[in-house]
PDB file of all heavy atoms in Angstrom:
ATOM      1  N   ALA A 811      11.709  50.334  17.917  1.00  0.00           N
ATOM      2  CA  ALA A 811      12.005  49.079  18.543  1.00  0.00           C
ATOM      3  C   ALA A 811      10.713  48.344  18.851  1.00  0.00           C
ATOM      4  O   ALA A 811      10.661  47.140  18.652  1.00  0.00           O
ATOM      5  CB  ALA A 811      12.844  49.332  19.832  1.00  0.00           C
ATOM      6  N   GLU A 864       2.220   4.079  -3.224  1.00  0.00           N
ATOM      7  CA  GLU A 864       1.050   3.501  -2.543  1.00  0.00           C
ATOM      8  C   GLU A 864       1.173   1.962  -2.278  1.00  0.00           C
ATOM      9  O   GLU A 864       0.811   1.525  -1.238  1.00  0.00           O
ATOM     10  CB  GLU A 864      -0.177   3.736  -3.411  1.00  0.00           C
ATOM     11  CG  GLU A 864      -0.661   5.149  -3.409  1.00  0.00           C
ATOM     12  CD  GLU A 864      -1.409   5.572  -2.117  1.00  0.00           C
ATOM     13  OE1 GLU A 864      -1.491   4.818  -1.160  1.00  0.00           O
ATOM     14  OE2 GLU A 864      -1.866   6.740  -2.145  1.00  0.00           O
ATOM     15  N   GLY A 890       5.050  25.559  -7.321  1.00  0.00           N
ATOM     16  CA  GLY A 890       5.221  26.574  -6.260  1.00  0.00           C
ATOM     17  C   GLY A 890       5.007  26.000  -4.839  1.00  0.00           C
ATOM     18  O   GLY A 890       5.339  24.841  -4.568  1.00  0.00           O
ATOM     19  N   ASP A 925       0.665  34.193   1.679  1.00  0.00           N
ATOM     20  CA  ASP A 925      -0.634  33.585   2.174  1.00  0.00           C
ATOM     21  C   ASP A 925      -0.486  33.155   3.662  1.00  0.00           C
ATOM     22  O   ASP A 925       0.322  32.261   3.904  1.00  0.00           O
ATOM     23  CB  ASP A 925      -0.889  32.395   1.233  1.00  0.00           C
ATOM     24  CG  ASP A 925      -2.215  31.649   1.665  1.00  0.00           C
ATOM     25  OD1 ASP A 925      -2.783  32.003   2.709  1.00  0.00           O
ATOM     26  OD2 ASP A 925      -2.604  30.744   0.949  1.00  0.00           O
ATOM     27  N   HIS A 937       7.115  21.475  13.170  1.00  0.00           N
ATOM     28  CA  HIS A 937       7.167  21.009  14.493  1.00  0.00           C
ATOM     29  C   HIS A 937       6.513  19.598  14.621  1.00  0.00           C
ATOM     30  O   HIS A 937       5.562  19.432  15.353  1.00  0.00           O
ATOM     31  CB  HIS A 937       6.533  22.003  15.440  1.00  0.00           C
ATOM     32  CG  HIS A 937       7.172  23.304  15.444  1.00  0.00           C
ATOM     33  ND1 HIS A 937       6.906  24.257  14.578  1.00  0.00           N
ATOM     34  CD2 HIS A 937       8.183  23.758  16.268  1.00  0.00           C
ATOM     35  CE1 HIS A 937       7.742  25.302  14.819  1.00  0.00           C
ATOM     36  NE2 HIS A 937       8.488  25.036  15.874  1.00  0.00           N
ATOM     37  N   LEU A 999      18.759   1.049  29.744  1.00  0.00           N
ATOM     38  CA  LEU A 999      18.417   0.764  28.418  1.00  0.00           C
ATOM     39  C   LEU A 999      19.682   0.161  27.637  1.00  0.00           C
ATOM     40  O   LEU A 999      20.845   0.498  27.919  1.00  0.00           O
ATOM     41  CB  LEU A 999      17.987   2.054  27.687  1.00  0.00           C
ATOM     42  CG  LEU A 999      16.780   2.750  28.121  1.00  0.00           C
ATOM     43  CD1 LEU A 999      16.623   4.108  27.379  1.00  0.00           C
ATOM     44  CD2 LEU A 999      15.578   1.875  27.949  1.00  0.00           C
TER      45      LEU A 999
END
Side-chain angles (χ1 to χ4, degrees):
E864 287 284 6
D925 179 353
H937 297 87
L999 294 174

